Amino acid sequence: RIVFPIKRLQHDRFISNKNKLVSLMALARVDRPEGSLLLYWPGAWSIALAAAPGSFPDIKLLTLFGIGAIVMRGAGCTINDMWDRDFDKSVERTKSRPLASGDLALWPDATIFLAAQLSAGLYILTQLNFQSIVLGAASLPLVITYPLAKRYNPLPQLHLGFTFNWGAILGYCAVAGDIDFAITLPLYGGCVAWTLLYDTLYAHQDKHDDAKLSLCSSALTLGNEWTKPVLHASALCATLGFGLAGHNAGIILGDSSAIPFYMSLTLFSAHLNWQVLTAKLDDSPNLANRFRSNAYVAPILLIGIATSKFLMIGS
């Protein structure tokens, strides 16, 4: 007669643990891979630019960076939701997030989960060379303080750009053991401009809620009038930054080996400007689609870099 209650208790605990696991995965945005991909591509581009002429990018490093992007993007989301849980309750798009809805508690759920995520990220980082370990650790203050930027910085998307694209410097260092600033700084700057573009479009979805909560965003700072001119300029800066990085890595315009890179860059640039031209700044589905598209168009540039570097045999 006491077996049934025990089994019921075990079943309830199983369901509770299963629901908590689902909530933790939602906290890390596992169901939305675009963020992890957007974090991954700058590092992958950098790894490809650092490859020796006649070689493809290091597959092991590309894999490590891919796993690291999933882990650290999840950690960034956890940190962001811990900071913003009270604000998220008042925003239509975010009120169902696990911390805002009460599905998870700040302690112990989110805190222990964040510790596990950061530990996993640190383990992946230790698989790189010493210079990369130091460089990777140096990005942590940017990750932790990004949510504060939305409170005080009129262009928090720039802060996100500096944070999200650290891999553009780290990837090269992981290959070479040092940093070639002639390559990595234009790449990093181009990536920051790219992030300003896609995340400003994304921010327009929340501009009315952000205004009510006195939060900052580039969407509010630029407004509908200035958003498109500034984002077209961002597209130009991104294109020039990527082009200069490729040129300084030996992919010289006019060389036959450079054709794949500059073709891919042309397509990538066209996509950036298409987003801005066709964006409807008060249409959330339209903006969300353009934001997500970046994650799936970016591999074109990786293919272009890798192909051109491979064709540079004997150079």
Side-chain angles (χ1 to χ4, degrees):
R1 293 177 179 175
I2 63 171
V3 174
F4 175 77
I6 292 175
K7 286 187 176 180
R8 179 60 182 270
L9 180 61
Q10 291 174 338
H11 177 266
D12 290 347
R13 285 178 177 174
F14 173 78
I15 295 298
S16 176
N17 290 335
K18 181 180 179 181
N19 291 340
K20 185 162 289 189
L21 179 61
V22 170
S23 294
L24 289 171
M25 294 302 99
L27 182 63
R29 313 287 201 277
V30 173
D31 59 328
R32 298 181 181 180
E34 292 84 8
S36 297
L37 290 170
L38 291 171
L39 182 61
Y40 173 66
W41 295 124
W45 295 336
S46 188
I47 290 169
L49 286 170
S55 301
F56 283 119
D58 188 310
I59 296 298
K60 179 183 177 181
L61 284 177
L62 288 176
T63 302
L64 281 173
F65 270 62
I67 298 170
I70 295 171
V71 171
M72 291 309 296
R73 186 265 183 147
C77 290
T78 301
I79 292 170
N80 184 77
D81 287 8
M82 291 171 75
W83 276 109
D84 287 353
R85 62 192 184 280
D86 292 328
F87 289 118
D88 286 345
K89 296 175 184 177
S90 302
V91 178
E92 184 64 30
R93 189 178 58 83
T94 61
K95 65 182 183 181
S96 62
R97 287 177 176 174
L99 285 173
S101 65
D103 290 340
L104 294 175
L106 185 64
W107 171 264
D109 301 330
T111 305
I112 292 177
F113 184 53
L114 176 60
Q117 289 173 302
L118 293 177
S119 296
L122 178 61
Y123 174 77
I124 294 168
L125 188 63
T126 59
Q127 306 309 300
L128 306 180
N129 55 47
F130 176 75
Q131 296 91 330
S132 298
I133 293 172
V134 174
L135 182 62
S139 69
L140 198 55
L142 285 171
V143 175
I144 293 172
T145 58
Y146 165 66
L148 289 177
K150 291 181 285 186
R151 293 157 171 80
Y152 307 111
N153 186 344
L155 293 173
Q157 280 65 31
L158 277 179
H159 190 126
L160 178 67
F162 292 127
T163 305
F164 225 57
N165 297 296
W166 200 256
I169 304 173
L170 183 62
Y172 195 98
C173 185
V175 176
D178 59 12
I179 303 171
D180 187 335
F181 288 107
I183 297 171
T184 57
L185 285 186
L187 179 64
Y188 185 53
C191 288
V192 171
W194 177 44
T195 300
L196 178 62
L197 188 157
Y198 68 67
D199 208 59
T200 296
L201 294 180
Y202 189 80
H204 269 276
Q205 297 177 91
D206 297 332
K207 59 190 173 187
H208 299 299
D209 289 319
D210 287 344
K212 291 176 184 176
L213 296 169
S214 299
L215 293 175
C216 302
S217 79
S218 54
L220 289 173
T221 299
L222 297 175
N224 285 15
E225 180 181 1
W226 284 101
T227 288
K228 290 197 174 187
V230 170
L231 296 192
H232 275 304
S234 296
L236 177 61
C237 290
T239 302
L240 292 175
F242 297 151
L244 182 58
H247 175 86
N248 291 343
I251 308 176
I252 308 300
L253 186 64
D255 292 350
S256 59
S257 62
I259 292 174
F261 170 65
Y262 288 103
M263 285 183 62
S264 69
L265 181 58
T266 300
L267 291 172
F268 189 81
S269 180
H271 175 256
L272 295 181
N273 285 284
W274 167 83
Q275 291 179 71
V276 181
L277 281 170
T278 62
K280 299 177 181 178
L281 300 181
D282 295 302
D283 183 339
S284 289
N286 172 280
L287 296 169
N289 287 335
R290 274 138 193 79
F291 168 79
R292 286 193 294 267
S293 70
N294 287 276
Y296 302 107
V297 172
I300 292 173
L301 195 56
L302 176 61
I303 293 169
I305 296 170
T307 304
S308 285
K309 291 289 284 189
F310 179 74
L311 293 175
M312 292 166 57
I313 299 174
S315 61

